[in-house]
Amino acid sequence: MTETTGTVADQAERAAVRERAEEVLRRLAGEHATLREDQWRAIEALTVDRRRVLCVQRTGWGKSAVYFVATALLRDGVTAQSGEREAGPTVIVSPLLALMRNQVDAAARAGIRARTINSANLDEWSVIQAEIRLGEVDVLLISPERLNNPDFRDNVLPDLAATTGLLVVDEAHCVSDWGHDFRPDYRRLRQFLAGLPSRTPVLATTATANARVTADVADQLGDALVLRGSLERDSLRLAVLDLPDPAHRLAWLADHLERLPGSGIVYTLTVAGATEAADFLRSRGFAVASYTGQVDDSERRAAEQGLLDNKLKALVATSALGMGFDKPDLGFVIHLGAPPSPIAYYQQVGRAGRAVEHAEVVLLPGAEDVAIWRYFASLAFPPEDQVRSVLSHLAPDRPMSTQALEPLVDLRRNRLEMMLKVLDVDGAVRRSRGGWLATGEPWTYDTARLRRVAEARRAEQDTMIEYASSTTCRMEFLRRCLDDPEAGPCGRCDNCSEPLFDAEVSAASLAAANAFLGKPGAEIAPKKMWPTGLAAVGLSLKGKIAAAEQIEPGRSVGRLSDLGWGNRLRALVADDAPDQPIPDDLAAAVVEVLKAWAHGEDAWAQRPAGVVAVGSRRHALLVQSLAEHIAKVGRLPLLGGLTSTHEGGGARGNSAQRVLALHDAFTVPAELKAELSTLSGPVLLVDDLVDSGWTMTLAGRALRRAGAGAVMPLTLAVAN
């Protein structure tokens, strides 16, 4: 193909390419499908001009059609110029396995051979790599995390970058730390881009990028054609209902789920919320499944397929289903609790209504939403002193694993790993086969940028609260949050027209929801293994906790993340909550927990013979009154309490640091030790909250070593 852009010959050749592109699209999407104008502009720029393109287009617009059609054209040599090499495979960087599975299936419909390399198919890697070398793979899908897997980065990526015919960055808002779902691994795409041969086309796609995120991503791509379309979704009918508590929200869902069209998604903010809501709906006769990051991959696949086949009315999901699920006829999206960002909300509701005339979208915000947002915000990039501490432990020639680092710094595993990924992208550390290495490169803690990002997050939360109470058009509100210049009233939402739903719930459903959520009781699983790497901090504890020093399984009233008890418990056991005697409703709930524990399926093997309180510095009155109440109603001796030298705090640190702080913090007074020697049964060990679990484990260990035959934990709350 000549480079005489604008000549008659060039125009004719471009017309021929478009005709071929339309043929591929029809294979992909049906005989009546035609390219949108911006779809063609993107395909033309990628295949004819070999440019970089950023597509910011609504969900359902057809972004995947762009890269599949472009792949077919490039692989067939339709757009190759004289002397230009044959295009290698398209590499799609995609964030979730579910999205990869959908994309592989979609590619097959267009006659495109797609494969994926991810953590779930390790045994296929060598075969797939051989297929790539033989030119038998048209599309390779990889996760952003794969880009910095040492084996993949060092042995596969260089050849892959050198032969890539088209690079696609899906969900490209993740590249930007201004985006609502920033992922550090996406930043490594800069290195991939730098290794591409000249004139290798690049396509970045997203449905959820405001002007700032769009500019940031375009800047990282380089000289990019930005194609930004209207974000109107004329099939979606948005509504918000203000209901007083979680029981009313579950009852509303039970009353209305059958009325909602087709099948859909019910989003929750927490794993516990998804599990509880799914359990309740099943108890009311609905075919639903929970979908969270803690559900086994095979179960998630089965749940996805159940919804795709319309065998399930809904998936009750966390944001684990936010990206990567493709069901064009999804009829509704309900939120039990508001996401912390209107942009994230737009993305999640965008899963619905892609191939149906009408889809219902209902937000049921809760008073607890702000507390949940605050908790997740607390897990952001650590303060500078913690980052510097990590860097000080790394050497340039001696890799250190995350597990080895963890005991040396007061950060939990997932937060430590996220921080290391950011440092890797910044060039301060490098991941190797044996762990992490210091590069020696100068690094600056960007306080100003982190502050601006945190302020942007808080502003998004305020905007989400404003959305829930807004009396203006809801779709227009969301589109303006995404800087859509064409935003205007939709005429469909509950503020533009007569609301389709009201806040009324039936007495039967409300009673059932109250009974379900009001049932107290959550298990406390005992620790059985010491954290790894304690020798590095001077503790000779490793492997299994000795059987003679372990505690038994325990019970609490509920989890802080529970839909039912969560709000009540958070208000009582929070660090800044006033210390007070146990309220009557919680005292009654504790009695119910004890009854169920004594007579349930997993009943205790032996009745407790005495009560001991953990020495609490935050809520001494609460814990003491709880112990006294249990002793009174159970007719058990109150044996006293442990004394503690621990100052409190640090519960969000990692396990090794908690053990370091607590391993010798508890003392069994002489009079208590004497009482233990006379007991004929277990000790009931009482506290207000189990967070990491190590306070209860080490307090129980002190009692076991002082002569207690068994220790059974009982608390008001567990953190998760």
Side-chain angles (χ1 to χ4, degrees), residues 240-532:
V240 177
L241 290 175
D242 186 15
L243 296 165
D245 53 45
H248 278 80
R249 292 193 283 278
L250 283 187
W252 185 92
L253 195 55
D255 283 342
H256 293 84
L257 194 58
E258 197 58 48
R259 287 179 52 197
L260 293 168
S263 55
I265 301 171
V266 177
Y267 279 111
T268 67
L269 296 184
T270 65
V271 171
T275 302
E276 282 186 285
D279 287 346
F280 173 71
L281 291 173
R282 279 193 292 266
S283 76
R284 303 300 289 170
F286 292 102
V288 301
S290 61
Y291 190 107
T292 74
Q294 294 184 14
V295 173
D296 181 77
D297 183 62
S298 61
E299 292 181 47
R300 289 200 300 270
R301 288 189 185 216
E304 291 169 18
Q305 198 59 51
L307 193 67
L308 289 169
D309 296 339
N310 294 317
K311 294 178 180 178
L312 294 176
K313 181 65 178 179
L315 291 185
V316 186
T318 62
S319 58
L321 198 69
M323 294 183 292
F325 185 76
D326 183 17
K327 180 175 168 60
D329 62 343
L330 209 65
F332 62 89
V333 170
I334 310 296
H335 277 78
L336 294 177
S341 158
I343 302 173
Y345 183 64
Y346 176 89
Q347 181 194 62
Q348 290 177 354
V349 303
R351 305 254 69 82
R354 297 169 59 183
V356 292
E357 189 172 345
H358 298 294
E360 303 301 333
V361 173
V362 183
L363 171 63
L364 308 176
E368 67 277 12
D369 296 350
V370 174
I372 295 171
W373 299 343
R374 190 179 301 123
Y375 169 75
F376 285 118
S378 73
L379 304 180
F381 196 72
E384 183 172 5
D385 60 332
Q386 290 182 311
V387 182
R388 296 291 180 191
S389 175
V390 172
L391 289 173
S392 71
H393 290 294
L394 293 176
D397 56 352
R398 200 170 56 255
M400 182 174 283
S401 68
T402 307
Q403 293 90 332
L405 264 173
E406 192 174 15
L408 305 175
V409 295
D410 199 11
L411 288 168
R412 285 190 175 177
R413 177 78 56 85
N414 58 353
R415 199 175 181 202
L416 175 60
E417 289 178 339
M418 184 275 289
M419 184 199 70
L420 287 166
K421 289 177 179 179
V422 173
L423 292 175
D424 190 348
V425 172
D426 288 348
V429 305
R430 184 175 187 273
R431 189 178 179 187
S432 71
R433 184 185 293 272
W436 299 91
L437 295 166
T439 64
E441 294 295 322
W443 179 81
T444 302
Y445 189 89
D446 197 344
T447 303
R449 183 173 180 83
L450 290 170
R451 185 188 305 116
R452 290 195 300 272
V453 171
E455 289 170 352
R457 296 287 180 272
R458 287 192 291 271
E460 288 174 346
Q461 294 172 10
D462 291 342
T463 303
M464 199 65 214
I465 294 171
E466 183 184 348
Y467 170 82
S469 60
S470 175
T471 57
T472 63
C473 173
R474 299 200 188 276
M475 181 58 76
E476 181 180 7
F477 188 105
L478 293 178
R479 291 173 66 189
R480 290 197 185 282
C481 290
L482 283 152
D483 298 319
D484 184 350
E486 300 178 25
C490 70
R492 302 177 305 277
C493 71
D494 58 349
N495 286 336
C496 285
S497 63
E498 190 70 22
L500 188 65
F501 303 106
D502 59 38
E504 295 298 316
V505 299
S506 69
S509 290
L510 184 58
N514 274 316
F516 178 84
L517 295 178
K519 184 178 179 181
E523 184 173 343
I524 300 171
K527 300 283 188 183
K528 296 186 178 181
M529 301 287 293
W530 293 112
T532 58

Side-chain angles (χ1 to χ4, degrees), residues 1-7 9-11 13-14 48-50 79-82 84 199:
M1 183 169 293
T2 66
E3 298 209 27
T4 54
T5 303
T7 66
D10 178 70
Q11 292 173 3
E13 289 186 41
R14 289 173 186 265
V48 179
D49 301 322
R50 305 297 175 99
T79 63
Q81 296 184 15
S82 175
E84 195 162 45
R199 284 180 53 81

Side-chain angles (χ1 to χ4, degrees), residues 70-395:
T71 294
L73 298 180
L74 290 167
R75 292 288 283 166
D76 289 348
V78 171
T79 63
Q81 296 184 15
S82 175
E84 195 162 45
R85 66 183 175 87
E86 180 182 346
T90 291
V91 175
I92 301 177
V93 181
S94 178
L96 291 178
L97 292 178
L99 184 60
M100 293 185 187
R101 291 193 285 269
N102 290 154
Q103 300 290 36
V104 169
D105 293 342
R109 292 196 297 271
I112 295 170
R113 298 159 295 182
R115 300 298 301 269
T116 175
I117 289 180
N118 60 65
S119 58
N121 68 343
L122 294 174
D123 56 336
E124 299 178 27
W125 282 25
S126 58
V127 173
I128 294 171
Q129 290 171 28
E131 291 174 347
I132 293 171
R133 286 192 294 270
L134 294 171
E136 296 174 355
V137 174
D138 297 317
V139 170
L140 176 66
L141 294 105
I142 58 175
S143 69
E145 291 75 18
R146 195 59 41 204
L147 295 174
N148 206 38
N149 173 279
D151 284 339
F152 187 87
R153 182 196 62 209
D154 298 337
N155 301 322
V156 179
L157 196 57
D159 289 342
L160 189 61
T163 60
T164 294
L166 167 65
L167 173 63
V168 177
V169 183
D170 211 0
E171 306 296 352
H173 57 273
C174 297
V175 171
S176 174
D177 55 8
W178 296 108
H180 68 274
D181 195 19
F182 168 60
R183 298 190 182 191
D185 289 293
Y186 262 82
R187 285 280 190 176
R188 295 195 178 90
L189 287 165
R190 284 181 173 177
Q191 300 163 8
F192 199 161
L193 288 168
L196 294 174
S198 63
R199 284 180 53 81
T200 300
V202 178
L203 171 66
T205 70
T206 179
T208 47
N210 59 18
R212 178 160 52 183
V213 174
T214 298
D216 189 12
V217 176
D219 179 64
Q220 293 186 54
L221 287 177
D223 181 24
L225 170 66
V226 178
L227 298 173
R228 186 181 179 97
S230 168
L231 299 177
E232 168 68 293
R233 293 294 310 280
D234 54 14
S235 64
L236 301 183
R237 183 158 42 191
L238 305 178
V240 177
L241 290 175
D242 186 15
L243 296 165
D245 53 45
H248 278 80
R249 292 193 283 278
L250 283 187
W252 185 92
L253 195 55
D255 283 342
H256 293 84
L257 194 58
E258 197 58 48
R259 287 179 52 197
L260 293 168
S263 55
I265 301 171
V266 177
Y267 279 111
T268 67
L269 296 184
T270 65
V271 171
T275 302
E276 282 186 285
D279 287 346
F280 173 71
L281 291 173
R282 279 193 292 266
S283 76
R284 303 300 289 170
F286 292 102
V288 301
S290 61
Y291 190 107
T292 74
Q294 294 184 14
V295 173
D296 181 77
D297 183 62
S298 61
E299 292 181 47
R300 289 200 300 270
R301 288 189 185 216
E304 291 169 18
Q305 198 59 51
L307 193 67
L308 289 169
D309 296 339
N310 294 317
K311 294 178 180 178
L312 294 176
K313 181 65 178 179
L315 291 185
V316 186
T318 62
S319 58
L321 198 69
M323 294 183 292
F325 185 76
D326 183 17
K327 180 175 168 60
D329 62 343
L330 209 65
F332 62 89
V333 170
I334 310 296
H335 277 78
L336 294 177
S341 158
I343 302 173
Y345 183 64
Y346 176 89
Q347 181 194 62
Q348 290 177 354
V349 303
R351 305 254 69 82
R354 297 169 59 183
V356 292
E357 189 172 345
H358 298 294
E360 303 301 333
V361 173
V362 183
L363 171 63
L364 308 176
E368 67 277 12
D369 296 350
V370 174
I372 295 171
W373 299 343
R374 190 179 301 123
Y375 169 75
F376 285 118
S378 73
L379 304 180
F381 196 72
E384 183 172 5
D385 60 332
Q386 290 182 311
V387 182
R388 296 291 180 191
S389 175
V390 172
L391 289 173
S392 71
H393 290 294
L394 293 176

Side-chain angles (χ1 to χ4, degrees), residues 581-621:
I582 184 169
D584 291 343
D585 62 331
L586 265 297
V590 169
V591 173
E592 290 301 313
V593 170
L594 287 168
K595 288 179 181 177
W597 197 3
H599 305 293
E601 291 182 7
D602 299 320
W604 56 45
Q606 189 178 5
R607 190 178 191 273
V611 180
V612 174
V614 174
S616 173
R617 292 177 180 266
R618 294 175 309 161
H619 301 125
L621 180 57

